[in-house]
Amino acid sequence: MLGVAYEEALEGLREGGIPIGAALFTRDGDLLGAGHNRRVQEDDASVHAETDAFRRAGRRRDYPDTVMVTTLSPCWYCSGLVRQFNIGAVVIGEAENFHGGHDWLEELGVEIVLLDDVTCQELLGTFIAEHPELWNEDIGL
């Protein structure tokens, strides 16, 4: 599942954007939607990877049986999306470059799996080193 999100992150980088990817799956592993951070590409501050994947998944009656897989710990905005729609689990590639709201989600009963994936860490870490102004704009610093 992380491979799908990672490929989305690479696509975002190829498009000139911030390399963060996400995908929404059922617990059985069926892909519902995948996306990546498109803030730069669409000139829209609200298009984070998780929101892009969520929008591309289409409408569902409920979400507790879904898993949001993301290359980076979700920010407060994306953590709010998980909370709002009662997404049951979040699989996180890494939280080294940014530690978002996943502790809060876990306190609320969302299953959190933190993988500490080195490829995710290196991809975003390199981007941050090369484009600190864009990263700081994206993360709201």
Side-chain angles (χ1 to χ4, degrees):
M1 287 194 231
L2 183 61
V4 174
Y6 187 78
E7 287 301 316
E8 285 288 334
L10 290 176
E11 181 62 25
L13 184 62
R14 284 190 290 273
E15 293 173 355
I18 298 161
I20 303 170
L24 187 66
F25 291 88
T26 66
R27 289 235 185 218
D28 295 330
D30 295 327
L31 178 63
L32 300 171
H36 52 274
N37 186 301
R38 297 175 191 267
R39 293 181 73 256
V40 173
Q41 300 91 313
E42 295 187 12
D43 195 31
D44 181 345
S46 71
V47 189
H48 287 202
E50 296 88 345
T51 60
D52 192 39
F54 184 78
R55 288 172 180 160
R56 292 172 185 273
R59 227 175 94 214
R60 291 177 59 91
R61 180 174 210 90
D62 55 27
Y63 295 87
D65 67 334
T66 62
V67 179
M68 179 65 76
V69 180
T70 180
T71 58
L72 183 66
S73 176
C75 68
W76 287 106
Y77 170 58
C78 295
S79 294
L81 179 139
V82 169
R83 174 68 173 126
Q84 175 69 32
F85 291 95
N86 199 25
I87 292 171
V90 180
V91 175
I92 301 165
E94 67 109 344
E96 199 64 31
N97 286 299
F98 176 75
H99 190 105
H102 68 267
D103 293 333
W104 173 69
L105 290 171
E106 191 168 43
E107 290 171 10
L108 295 171
V110 176
E111 180 184 351
I112 300 294
V113 178
L114 179 55
L115 300 175
D116 291 324
D117 184 85
V118 174
T119 57
C120 290
Q121 291 170 355
E122 290 175 355
L123 177 65
L124 188 58
T126 299
F127 179 84
I128 291 169
E130 293 174 356
H131 306 282
E133 72 294 336
L134 189 53
W135 170 249
N136 289 336
E137 173 189 321
D138 184 66
I139 210 61
L141 298 177

